[in-house]
Amino acid sequence: MNPLVKCLLASIAAIGLSAPLAAQDLTDNDTCLECHEGTERSAPADPNMPQVHNPDGGFFAEAHEMWSCVDCHDYVVEIPHADDVADNTVDCLNCHEEVPSN
């Protein structure tokens, strides 16, 4: 099933079965994984940037495990988010003085 369709169905179910969608906790990674679990995580567009996510949705860089998705993907401010949000990039320099290459 298309991941966007899956996310839409999960969002519709959440509206009818739980708290209002706008009240979802964006700092809880499970909120993001309701739609994005199993999503293919490709390598960064910039080959000098490290691969942070592993294909299972965890992290290659264990130091990132303590952060929520929106700590890095800070352009996500509501659920459901805009379809073009995937076009945004994470700026690792928000936390790091320099980003080590792969």
Side-chain angles (χ1 to χ4, degrees), residues 2-45:
N2 181 316
L4 291 175
V5 172
K6 192 175 180 181
C7 183
L8 179 61
L9 292 174
S11 297
I12 291 169
I15 290 170
L17 301 175
S18 65
L21 208 50
Q24 286 189 339
D25 183 2
L26 292 178
T27 63
D28 181 359
N29 289 345
D30 288 338
T31 299
C32 299
L33 291 175
E34 285 178 17
C35 296
H36 295 284
E37 186 172 42
T39 301
E40 184 176 329
R41 287 155 179 87
S42 57

Side-chain angles (χ1 to χ4, degrees), residues 3-93:
L4 291 175
V5 172
K6 192 175 180 181
C7 183
L8 179 61
L9 292 174
S11 297
I12 291 169
I15 290 170
L17 301 175
S18 65
L21 208 50
Q24 286 189 339
D25 183 2
L26 292 178
T27 63
D28 181 359
N29 289 345
D30 288 338
T31 299
C32 299
L33 291 175
E34 285 178 17
C35 296
H36 295 284
E37 186 172 42
T39 301
E40 184 176 329
R41 287 155 179 87
S42 57
D46 179 349
N48 295 317
M49 298 297 286
Q51 176 78 25
V52 175
H53 296 286
N54 66 34
D56 297 328
F59 297 95
F60 284 125
E62 290 182 16
H64 289 87
E65 290 178 352
M66 63 194 247
W67 303 105
S68 68
C69 299
V70 295
D71 286 327
C72 297
H73 300 275
D74 56 0
Y75 45 83
V76 176
V77 295
E78 64 183 351
I79 301 290
H81 55 70
D83 290 340
D84 64 352
V85 79
D87 295 336
N88 291 296
T89 58
V90 170
D91 185 357
C92 300
L93 297 176

